[in-house]
Amino acid sequence: MPNIIKFPELDSTNLYVLKNIAELEHGDVILADSQTAGRGRLGRVWFSPAGKNLYFTIVLKDNLSAKIPVHFYTILASLAVLKALRNYKIKPNLKWPNDVLVNGRKICGILAEANKQGLAVGIGLNVNMNKSELDKIDKPATSLLLESGAEQNRDKLLENILTNFFEYLKKDTKESFREWRKEIDLINKKVTVTDAGKITKGIVRDVTDEGLLLVDTGKGVVKVMSGDVSF
Ligand code: BTN
């Protein structure tokens, strides 16, 4: 098992890793029971109350190659979470670009951030949050408690996710990418992608290994980096 360094509270586990990366080892995991400034994608806040969920960041420093985009580690993390959640009686799925959903509601968010010395792969997973707490989130969200109907052991789930993640890290990158491409299930689908008011409609022809969608609008193929996909 990797070295898990626990804190009762941090501003953000990603921020902690980015600030302290020089002293941290490859494979270390920073875990916080709560975060006061949990970071989401696109400058959003990640709701991080104490005693309920998992907020952790994996430190990666070795074998990083400029050829492998940061987004690839998000892909590995999403596959690791997906596999772990499949051990419960729920049906999780991946939503491009990097969400894990159950019944159309977000259960997990992933944010990979890099600096010169390495990578911080942050995972926030709603484990034992109840309905009234989930209602405080401005987007449709769910938790393992809500979906499985029972409180779940956070340590066991963390261990499972980390085992999966480090297994994926050893695998052939192309194989993992293919697995992810299948899980996001977007190829040849007719989609509408909304990104900060900009709407792109068309058929998804492919996803690049940087995670960009190639959407055929009928007038040409455009690259879409982020946004909400609907069908
Ligand atoms: C998203 O917007 O979907 C990404 C959310 C990522 C949240 C996790 S919680 C642990 C780690 N520390 C942070 O500040 N953010 C990530």
Side-chain angles (χ1 to χ4, degrees):
M1 252 297 116
N3 181 29
I4 301 174
I5 306 164
K6 295 185 188 177
F7 293 87
E9 181 180 288
L10 282 179
D11 47 2
S12 148
T13 55
N14 270 30
L15 210 57
Y16 181 91
V17 167
L18 292 173
K19 274 188 199 153
N20 298 284
I21 199 148
E23 291 84 54
L24 292 166
E25 306 264 346
H26 174 82
D28 281 352
V29 176
I30 301 298
L31 174 71
D33 191 48
S34 70
Q35 298 183 117
T36 54
R39 282 145 75 107
R41 283 192 314 123
L42 311 169
R44 296 194 187 117
V45 169
W46 188 257
F47 184 48
S48 311
K52 300 279 171 176
N53 299 323
L54 283 171
Y55 319 109
F56 61 99
T57 299
I58 304 166
V59 179
L60 296 180
K61 293 172 82 169
D62 296 350
N63 306 318
L64 297 175
S65 147
K67 283 193 213 136
I68 302 177
V70 174
H71 182 260
F72 181 71
Y73 297 94
T74 312
I75 289 177
L76 296 190
S78 66
L79 288 171
V81 171
L82 188 74
K83 199 169 170 197
L85 289 178
R86 284 190 172 142
N87 292 328
Y88 300 81
K89 285 189 183 118
I90 60 171
K91 285 206 178 84
N93 66 285
L94 297 188
K95 183 170 186 245
W96 179 86
N98 61 352
D99 295 342
V100 186
L101 306 187
V102 183
N103 290 324
R105 295 174 163 262
K106 184 158 163 172
I107 195 165
C108 171
I110 298 158
L111 180 66
E113 298 182 274
N115 68 13
K116 275 189 191 140
Q117 286 156 295
L119 263 181
V121 184
I123 301 177
L125 178 58
N126 299 336
V127 185
N128 291 321
M129 232 170 3
N130 61 31
K131 175 95 176 58
S132 68
E133 286 161 318
L134 285 163
D135 285 342
K136 292 182 191 156
I137 301 172
D138 59 357
K139 294 220 165 153
T142 192
S143 69
L144 194 49
L145 164 66
L146 221 70
E147 299 297 331
S148 69
E151 286 226 355
Q152 303 295 346
N153 181 305
R154 285 184 290 165
D155 294 333
K156 202 173 121 197
L157 180 54
L158 173 65
E159 202 173 298
N160 198 200
I161 295 169
L162 292 174
T163 305
N164 295 343
F165 181 83
F166 288 103
E167 270 171 18
Y168 274 112
L169 205 56
K170 279 191 252 157
K171 273 195 191 174
D172 175 47
T173 53
K174 286 208 171 74
E175 194 186 315
S176 304
F177 186 74
R178 272 198 298 272
E179 191 177 330
W180 177 77
R181 205 171 171 274
K182 210 159 106 198
E183 291 292 351
I184 59 163
D185 196 20
L186 281 177
I187 311 297
N188 293 328
K189 294 264 161 75
K190 204 171 168 188
V191 297
T192 302
V193 192
T194 314
D195 186 15
K198 187 168 178 259
I199 296 173
T200 310
K201 281 183 192 230
I203 296 168
V204 178
R205 295 292 182 213
D206 209 349
V207 254
T208 70
D209 53 9
E210 280 155 337
L212 305 179
L213 288 189
L214 302 182
V215 182
D216 187 345
T217 63
K219 288 183 190 145
V221 176
V222 292
K223 283 186 183 169
V224 185
M225 230 181 99
S226 61
D228 282 320
V229 177
S230 55
F231 298 96

